[in-house]
Amino acid sequence: EIAKKYRTLDCHVLVGHSFAGLFTTNTFLKKSKFHAFLAIDQSLHWDGASTVSEAQNRTENLGSSIYISQANNPFNPGLKVGAKNQAIQSFHEVLVSPSGSGVHHRRVFFENEDHFSVPLISMYEGLSFLFAGYQYPLDQLAQASVHELQTHYEDLAERTGGNMLIPGKLFQQVASFMLQQGNVDQAEMLFSFTSQQFPTSFQPLEGLGQAYATLDMREQADSIFNKVLEMNPESALANRYFQERE
């Protein structure tokens, strides 16, 4: 229902803190519609650490991706101190065992955060881990080939378990910079690749048309700018292009 109303990625992440973190971990152990999990200082000690026992007794390999953050307890500090922290440690041991070999995972202990302050930093660090590589390295993007870009995002999609769109705005800005710097061939490739990823957007096509015009590929530029005007008749770039062609 959410995907019908909003433009979403086909990569569903479940996030939970405390008892909701326990729910997140339980869901991780079962087949669900979620592709990645972010469990924040989860209450794994609840019910005699039954969730940990379930993980330990699994006969099939775990899969998917999970980030676990763990807060310190100022009244009883330490990574493995207390029932909750011991339960998290036991669950972590499952992840690093052979049954967890298929899991993309990280467990972080925030020594200077408590149960109530840890969610904010966990959200940032957890999502950065789960989507590591989403932003293609800028210093490499200016030289990357189509094959390298496709492989990079296909690998990311395989790891997260969902279809992964590229960061289109980033690609457009880099392509525009390449065009301004005279690296027209690379700009043309980036605009073309971005337009293929976002076929209903006229913006990367505007850049692609500019690249073709700069390369004096008039037939291709005419075709692209006509497509732009079909999508957006008010496009200043496309209208100016045809006015200058007259």
Side-chain angles (χ1 to χ4, degrees):
E1 192 64 33
I2 293 175
K4 293 178 182 178
K5 287 188 173 183
Y6 303 99
R7 190 171 67 180
T8 61
L9 290 176
D10 184 26
C11 181
H12 305 141
V13 181
L14 182 61
V15 181
H17 169 237
S18 194
F19 274 105
L22 175 65
F23 169 75
T24 298
T25 310
N26 269 314
T27 307
F28 165 76
L29 293 174
K30 298 171 173 60
K31 293 186 181 298
S32 72
K33 294 183 178 180
F34 293 98
H35 305 104
F37 302 84
L38 205 170
I40 304 171
D41 210 31
Q42 68 267 52
S43 303
L44 284 177
H45 59 297
W46 184 81
D47 192 28
S50 59
T51 298
V52 177
S53 298
E54 180 182 349
Q56 292 170 332
N57 294 326
R58 282 181 67 106
T59 57
E60 59 183 287
N61 285 351
L62 299 169
S64 194
S65 300
I66 186 169
Y67 176 92
I68 297 172
S69 68
Q70 183 179 343
N72 207 356
N73 183 345
F75 304 106
N76 197 16
L79 175 66
K80 304 176 185 178
V81 178
K84 174 179 67 65
N85 288 350
Q86 290 174 5
I88 293 176
Q89 173 63 24
S90 296
F91 186 80
H92 175 70
E93 291 172 358
V94 174
L95 294 178
V96 298
S97 72
S99 63
S101 60
V103 183
H104 178 62
H105 65 89
R106 178 177 293 172
R107 178 265 200 110
V108 178
F109 176 61
F110 290 100
E111 186 175 4
N112 297 319
E113 306 292 341
D114 59 40
H115 186 69
F116 302 99
S117 67
V118 77
L120 184 60
I121 190 172
S122 299
M123 287 287 290
Y124 176 80
E125 296 289 345
L127 292 174
S128 295
F129 167 74
L130 294 173
F131 291 99
Y134 177 67
Q135 178 171 309
Y136 201 89
L138 289 179
D139 59 338
Q140 300 176 28
L141 189 55
Q143 292 85 32
S145 67
V146 171
H147 175 72
E148 289 170 333
L149 294 174
Q150 288 176 331
T151 301
H152 178 85
Y153 284 98
E154 286 171 0
D155 290 346
L156 180 60
E158 182 178 355
R159 194 184 76 218
T160 57
N163 293 328
M164 187 64 59
L165 291 174
I166 66 171
K169 187 174 182 180
L170 170 69
F171 274 51
Q172 282 183 224
Q173 289 178 337
V174 172
S176 296
F177 179 76
M178 292 289 100
L179 190 60
Q180 293 169 8
Q181 294 296 308
N183 191 347
V184 186
D185 290 334
Q186 186 70 6
E188 182 270 329
M189 185 278 290
L190 289 174
F191 281 128
S192 179
F193 182 72
T194 305
S195 66
Q196 292 169 17
Q197 297 290 311
F198 299 93
T200 61
S201 175
F202 68 88
Q203 292 174 321
L205 287 176
E206 286 182 327
L208 182 58
Q210 285 183 297
Y212 284 143
T214 303
L215 292 168
D216 202 29
M217 300 170 65
R218 295 298 178 180
E219 184 176 342
Q220 291 89 334
D222 288 354
S223 175
I224 291 297
F225 278 123
N226 277 319
K227 288 182 181 179
V228 170
L229 290 176
E230 289 175 6
M231 294 179 174
N232 178 26
E234 304 301 319
S235 169
L237 284 171
N239 282 298
R240 184 167 63 247
Y241 169 80
F242 284 113
Q243 286 171 2
E244 293 175 353
R245 287 272 280 150
E246 294 177 355

